[in-house]
């Protein structure tokens, strides 16, 4: 029974990946707006309902890192080291993401960046995902600091830190569309990140510092 369940789960993962791969190919070839769920289903050789069962929104097929994107800042703060503030751990994590040119912070390549820029639907979805990311971060900050219900502090801090990440993500995409290579983008955005985090350091250096063990 365990082996059977494992095989079924493997089959589901394979089907999901096949749908995602075919969708990406079509989006890059035709454009996001011009590609339909029926097109994706046909390319993946599954029913339309199968596509929507795995991906309820067409946008999720294009922005397939959306779960990591919306939960990443909150998870990073929740896992910070003793003595480390929310700002410090997010700054450290962003620098590491730049160094490895992580797709979650925008390193997606020219075709993907162009697809995003040319699609009003995906641009709007990115705004929604940024809002969700800030909401998730605010919830963690409120818990970590023992904030009273309705306290604006956690939400305001999440908006500031989320805003820094949103601007830097936009820079990665903009530089990609300008034709810069990933190494040059990483150098530029790494410097911009240092400047941006320096700007908020005076206000947030001592906020949400994890107590020692």
């Amino acid at each position: 029974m365990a082996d059977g369940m494992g095989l079924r789960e493997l089959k589901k993962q394979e089907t999901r990946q096949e749908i995602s791969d075919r969708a990406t190919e079509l989006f890059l070839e035709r454009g996001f707006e011009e590609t339909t769920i029926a097109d994706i289903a046909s390319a993946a050789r599954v029913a339309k309902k199968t596509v929507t069962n795995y991906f309820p929104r067409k946008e999720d097929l294009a922005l397939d890192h959306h779960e990591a994107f919306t939960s990443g800042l909150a998870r990073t703060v929740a896992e910070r080291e003793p003595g480390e503030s929310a700002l410090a751990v997010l700054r450290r994590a962003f620098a590491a993401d730049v160094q490895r040119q992580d797709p979650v912070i925008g390193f997606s390549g020219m075709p993907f960046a162009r697809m995003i820029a040319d699609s009003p639907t995906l641009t709007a979805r990115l705004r929604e995902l940024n809002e969700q990311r800030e909401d998730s971060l605010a919830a963690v900050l409120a818990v970590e600091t023992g904030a009273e219900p309705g306290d604006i502090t956690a939400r305001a801090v999440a908006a500031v830190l989320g805003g820094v990440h949103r601007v830097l993500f936009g820079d990665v995409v903009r530089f990609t569309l300008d034709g810069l290579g990933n190494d040059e983008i990483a150098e530029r955005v790494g410097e911009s990140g240092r400047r941006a985090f320096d700007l908020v350091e005076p206000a947030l250096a001592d906020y949400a510092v994890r107590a020692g063990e």
Side-chain angles (χ1 to χ4, degrees):
M1 179 64 70
D3 289 343
M5 288 295 289
L7 289 173
R8 284 196 291 273
E9 186 60 33
L10 178 61
K11 179 60 177 176
K12 288 180 180 179
Q13 292 176 2
E14 290 175 344
T15 300
R16 190 182 194 281
Q17 190 62 52
E18 177 68 10
I19 293 170
S20 177
D21 289 346
R22 299 292 79 76
T24 299
E25 291 174 357
L26 290 172
F27 292 152
L28 296 179
E29 177 185 341
R30 304 179 184 180
F32 178 82
E33 305 292 348
E34 292 74 19
T35 302
T36 67
I37 293 296
D39 293 333
I40 296 167
S42 177
R45 298 182 180 180
V46 297
K48 287 173 60 178
K49 186 174 181 180
T50 301
V51 175
T52 55
N53 282 342
Y54 283 98
F55 300 93
R57 300 179 62 155
K58 193 174 87 167
E59 298 95 305
D60 294 340
L61 280 157
L63 304 171
D64 56 354
H65 295 292
H66 65 280
E67 293 179 353
F69 183 88
T70 56
S71 66
L73 302 187
R75 185 178 63 254
T76 297
V77 169
E79 296 173 355
R80 70 197 185 285
E81 298 292 334
E84 195 168 34
S85 68
L87 171 63
V89 71
L90 290 176
R91 181 174 195 153
R92 176 167 59 84
F94 181 79
D97 289 343
V98 170
Q99 185 172 21
R100 64 172 173 267
Q101 299 174 8
D102 195 330
V104 175
I105 66 167
F107 287 90
S108 56
M110 175 66 82
F112 196 87
R114 175 55 60 194
M115 178 188 71
I116 298 291
D118 288 346
S119 170
T121 303
L122 291 178
T123 301
R125 179 59 174 156
L126 271 175
R127 286 196 293 268
E128 293 178 357
L129 293 176
N130 274 297
E131 290 177 0
Q132 291 175 23
R133 179 167 66 170
E134 289 179 18
D135 288 344
S136 296
L137 177 58
V140 167
L141 290 173
V143 171
E144 294 286 320
T145 60
E148 295 292 331
D151 187 344
I152 194 174
T153 306
R155 288 182 286 128
V157 172
V160 170
L161 295 175
V164 168
H165 284 81
R166 183 171 62 252
V167 169
L168 293 171
F169 182 97
D171 278 354
V172 175
V173 173
R174 177 167 58 85
F175 290 144
T176 301
L177 292 172
D178 287 343
L180 274 60
N182 277 357
D183 289 344
E184 186 173 358
I185 294 172
E187 183 177 352
R188 292 194 183 193
V189 173
E191 176 58 28
S192 294
R194 287 188 287 273
R195 292 173 61 191
F197 286 113
D198 281 347
L199 286 172
V200 298
E201 181 88 24
L204 299 180
D206 297 325
Y207 177 78
V209 176
R210 168 154 287 176
E213 300 292 341

